[in-house]
């Protein structure tokens, strides 16, 4: 049984689509404690912290199970790392910056066993159409982007603003499926 240390419904759904039996477990890592400005390193440090935290909280019956942690962050065109928006105004700022531009989404996935661990980072470039002020406002007020890295969910209504994707779609949803599958194979979990 794979343990998923994430409350993300999207990650659960993607593992279900892969046919991976799993259960959700807690982790208590403070993502804000990572102040790295390089998006790849930042993502890796967060995922490692989450994995260590999750392993420390496992019940005795789960101690020998593999633990999966993941993190998705957005690297804006102005070269800033952002996670989930702080409020409506922050969401508006992000969507204005994405409008008519291309940004990167990074997800790192880590799976650890009692003997070893592996992690991989995936980058996807996402381009948005030029959004009108009204489109941005409508999307922000719909609250569909609340709790999502970069203030949008590509799998929902925001998809209508996306003009191009270079790389893994599932990475932008929150879990790079191919990379996850390859790690599970290499660790002989599948």
């Amino acid at each position: 049984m794979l343990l998923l240390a994430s409350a993300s419904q999207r990650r659960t759904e993607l593992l279900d689509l892969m046919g991976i039996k799993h259960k959700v477990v807690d982790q208590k890592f403070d993502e804000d404690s990572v102040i790295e400005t390089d998006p790849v390193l930042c993502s890796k440090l967060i995922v490692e912290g989450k994995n260590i935290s999750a392993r420390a909280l496992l019940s005795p019956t789960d101690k020998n199970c593999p633990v999966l942690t993941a993190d998705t962050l957005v690297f804006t065109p102005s070269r800033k790392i952002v996670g989930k928006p702080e409020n409506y105004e922050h969401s508006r700022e992000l969507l204005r910056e994405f409008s008519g531009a291309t940004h990167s989404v990074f997800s790192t996935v880590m799976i650890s066993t009692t003997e070893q661990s592996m992690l991989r980072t995936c980058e996807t470039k996402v381009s948005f159409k030029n959004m009108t002020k009204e489109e941005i406002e409508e999307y922000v007020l719909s609250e569909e982007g609340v709790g999502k890295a970069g203030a949008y969910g590509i799998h929902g209504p925001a998809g209508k603003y996306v003009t191009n994707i270079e790389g893994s779609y599932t990475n932008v949803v929150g879990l790079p499926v191919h990379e996850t599958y390859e790690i599970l194979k290499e660790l002989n979990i599948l």
Side-chain angles (χ1 to χ4, degrees):
M1 169 81 62
L2 180 68
L3 305 177
L4 172 63
S6 172
S8 166
Q9 186 60 38
R10 301 299 157 255
R11 291 186 182 127
T12 292
E13 289 169 2
L14 288 169
L15 287 174
D16 286 343
L17 287 172
M18 293 172 68
I20 308 292
K21 288 188 70 150
H22 64 283
K23 77 174 185 177
V24 175
V25 295
D26 287 334
Q27 61 83 21
K28 304 270 189 234
F29 184 71
D30 177 13
E31 296 177 34
D32 294 332
S33 67
V34 177
I35 54 172
E36 177 58 50
T37 57
D38 175 83
V40 174
L41 186 54
C42 180
S43 185
K44 286 179 180 178
L45 291 171
I46 290 171
V47 166
E48 288 170 345
K50 286 179 175 182
N51 206 284
I52 291 166
S53 170
R55 283 219 159 268
L57 296 172
L58 291 180
S59 68
T61 55
D62 289 336
K63 286 281 185 205
N64 294 322
C65 294
V67 174
L68 184 152
T69 50
D71 186 65
T72 301
L73 54 82
V74 172
F75 198 53
T76 67
S78 64
R79 309 195 56 75
K80 285 186 255 170
I81 296 171
V82 293
K84 298 169 185 142
E86 298 157 14
N87 51 42
Y88 284 165
E89 189 48 43
H90 189 210
S91 294
R92 287 182 190 99
E93 282 173 37
L94 291 171
L95 292 171
R96 281 192 295 264
E97 187 169 357
F98 298 155
S99 177
T102 300
H103 63 276
S104 290
V105 177
F106 292 91
S107 289
T108 297
V109 60
M110 177 178 178
I111 301 173
S112 67
T113 66
T114 53
E115 294 87 35
Q116 59 185 329
S117 65
M118 291 185 129
L119 63 78
R120 296 230 167 91
T121 301
C122 181
E123 177 183 7
T124 303
K125 294 186 183 299
V126 180
S127 302
F128 271 56
K129 75 178 217 82
N130 283 312
M131 295 174 71
T132 65
K133 186 177 180 180
E134 293 76 25
E135 287 171 328
I136 291 171
E137 194 63 15
E138 179 186 335
Y139 187 75
V140 169
L141 294 180
S142 77
E143 297 193 355
E144 205 275 327
V146 171
K148 296 181 175 91
Y152 72 93
I154 197 166
H155 52 283
K160 66 188 173 192
Y161 307 123
V162 175
T163 60
N164 192 50
I165 299 172
E166 280 181 52
S168 168
Y169 170 80
T170 58
N171 171 43
V172 185
V173 176
L175 184 70
V177 167
H178 172 73
E179 287 75 5
T180 302
Y181 174 72
E182 290 300 320
I183 293 173
L184 288 167
K185 275 183 36 184
E186 288 177 43
L187 292 176
N188 293 314
I189 295 169
L190 288 181

